[in-house]
Amino acid sequence: MLTRIDHIGIACHDLDATVEFYRSTYGFEVFHTEVNEEQGVREAMLKINDTSDGGSSYLQLLEPTREDSAVGKWLAKHGEGVHHIAFGTPDVDGDAAQIRDKGVRVLYDEPRRGTMGSRITFLHPKDCHGVLTELVTSAGVEPDEH
């Protein structure tokens, strides 16, 4: 079961300048940074708040490290802005299977490694009213027994 908005992904050309905008304008501080070679991005997670399920909500700022990455291609076509919305779940595998059974295309056969050791998958935007949607199980969260 989806429990929260985990993060909003924002594609940008210059991660450092974008981080500075959110820091100086809204007071958001960087909680975590990393480079995800598999996805071809350098990213910063800005923590917005904690949530009742023990997770948190973030802004995820994404700068492509190569033009042929998904974010690099998206930036070239759309420019900077909201790239995706991510919902938190204790069971990304189970929720992805249930959503797939409802006719929504799940982009990965098996969840992949995401930010901060999370497990992620994406739902096709054409099946989600134009919104690229990510499902996230944070590191250290075990699926509920069914």
Side-chain angles (χ1 to χ4, degrees):
M1 170 181 17
L2 306 180
T3 59
R4 63 189 155 83
I5 295 175
D6 184 85
H7 66 271
I8 306 294
I10 299 172
C12 62
H13 292 291
D14 183 334
L15 184 65
D16 297 326
T18 307
V19 164
E20 178 55 25
F21 169 80
Y22 281 97
R23 188 200 61 71
S24 64
T25 305
Y26 305 115
F28 298 151
E29 295 295 337
V30 173
F31 180 79
H32 176 82
T33 60
E34 70 179 78
V35 174
N36 185 320
E37 295 294 343
E38 180 184 2
Q39 294 182 24
V41 295
R42 185 168 79 105
E43 60 185 274
M45 297 294 276
L46 286 62
K47 188 174 183 178
I48 307 305
N49 68 322
D50 293 315
T51 62
S52 62
D53 69 354
S56 298
S57 293
Y58 302 90
L59 287 180
Q60 179 187 45
L61 307 179
L62 301 159
E63 175 190 65
T65 58
R66 57 182 195 269
E67 291 179 11
D68 69 338
S69 70
V71 172
K73 291 175 185 177
W74 190 90
L75 264 173
K77 185 175 181 180
H78 301 283
E80 293 185 311
V82 174
H83 178 262
H84 67 274
I85 185 169
F87 295 109
T89 172
D91 185 5
V92 68
D93 299 272
D95 282 340
Q98 288 179 3
I99 291 168
R100 181 182 284 120
D101 288 346
K102 294 177 182 178
V104 175
R105 287 173 282 179
V106 177
L107 299 184
Y108 304 151
D109 290 332
E110 294 292 325
R112 296 183 181 177
R113 182 197 161 286
T115 304
M116 299 185 287
S118 62
R119 298 183 70 241
I120 65 166
T121 195
F122 286 90
L123 309 178
H124 200 291
K126 288 185 178 176
D127 298 341
C128 299
H129 298 272
V131 178
L132 180 60
T133 304
E134 181 179 5
L135 305 179
V136 179
T137 296
S138 299
V141 175
E142 296 296 323
D144 293 335
E145 293 299 319
H146 299 280

